[in-house]
Amino acid sequence: MKNTHRLVFATNNMHKLREVREIIGDKFEILSLSEAGVNEELPETSDTLEGNAFQKARRVRELTGLDCFADDTGLMVDALDGAPGVYSARYAGEHCSPEDNMIKLLKNLDGVQNRSARFMTVIAVVCDKGEFHFEGAAEGSIALEKAGANGFGYDPIFISAETGKRFAEMSDAEKNSISHRGRAVREFIKNIELIF
């Protein structure tokens, strides 16, 4: 059996985990939080994506001693001054569902002409060689209503500027090739041999 470097991805979100594992491939063994034995709620109190990602990665490193990375993602809507932004996952309240978030966002954009938006992902890495971060963005706009059965989060209402399709209407491979998280992970991979 080949010796594979183990990395903890600071998430228990199975959608994110699957996306990242597909992009990284078998060079590294990617563990979820639960697989690494981390069962506590990770801190996310920063007002920036980068700050939140580093908070999570540092805490996981402290708990496990393993090399780890964390991401934080936000949907920035121009007409809402960049909201929901860093609060994207809990836009409709602390214990809201993705459906609740989409309903609130569509309501807040009711009658608004400018629907341009972008997804941003920051990946923070904490390991023996230090701390690093990588970013990815996907430009697009917010649809008037939901469509598509794939993806998660805001994918049913985010229309990619590159394809004209909602993320939820794309296959995993198509979405990964142009998504914010896909781009951030590929930046990470480009530098991975230098980091580990």
Side-chain angles (χ1 to χ4, degrees):
M1 187 175 146
K2 65 181 179 182
N3 183 18
T4 305
H5 194 100
R6 302 175 92 207
L7 287 174
V8 182
F9 180 18
T11 189
N12 278 320
N13 180 318
M14 290 301 114
H15 296 289
K16 280 187 183 183
L17 194 62
R18 190 180 74 240
E19 277 186 5
V20 167
R21 281 176 171 160
E22 281 174 4
I23 298 165
I24 287 183
D26 59 4
K27 269 187 184 176
F28 293 83
E29 183 187 355
I30 308 298
L31 304 175
S32 68
L33 286 173
S34 58
E35 289 166 338
V38 178
N39 300 305
E40 68 176 51
E41 193 75 26
L42 295 177
E44 279 187 289
T45 56
S46 174
D47 58 3
T48 67
L49 298 176
E50 185 181 331
N52 277 338
F54 271 118
Q55 272 188 334
K56 292 186 283 188
R58 287 172 188 140
R59 181 62 181 148
V60 171
R61 171 77 172 182
E62 193 180 297
L63 291 169
T64 66
L66 295 170
D67 291 339
C68 62
F69 65 99
D71 81 316
D72 200 28
T73 293
L75 175 62
M76 285 69 172
V77 180
D78 291 340
L80 301 177
D81 296 323
V86 76
Y87 303 108
S88 294
R90 49 196 184 279
Y91 187 44
E94 201 53 47
H95 301 291
C96 63
S97 68
E99 181 75 14
D100 297 333
N101 287 331
M102 282 190 282
I103 289 168
K104 179 174 180 179
L105 182 59
L106 291 175
K107 186 168 182 258
N108 287 345
L109 286 174
D110 192 32
V112 175
Q113 294 298 308
N114 174 16
R115 301 181 80 85
S116 60
R118 70 209 43 81
F119 269 121
M120 290 283 304
T121 290
V122 175
I123 290 177
V125 183
V126 179
C127 61
D128 287 342
K129 287 193 181 171
E131 296 188 348
F132 308 87
H133 78 280
F134 306 95
E135 298 179 5
E139 295 290 334
S141 60
I142 304 302
L144 294 171
E145 72 284 315
K146 299 185 303 170
N150 295 330
F152 61 98
Y154 294 92
D155 288 357
I157 60 171
F158 182 80
I159 301 171
S160 164
E162 288 168 77
T163 67
K165 293 199 289 190
R166 290 166 177 80
F167 274 176
E169 297 173 307
M170 299 180 191
S171 68
D172 289 349
E174 189 179 6
K175 179 187 168 186
N176 285 342
S177 71
I178 62 166
S179 78
H180 46 296
R181 189 172 296 104
R183 288 182 166 135
V185 171
R186 281 190 294 279
E187 279 301 305
F188 174 27
I189 291 169
K190 268 199 279 190
N191 293 278
I192 215 163
E193 306 297 341
L194 303 172
I195 297 173
F196 302 112

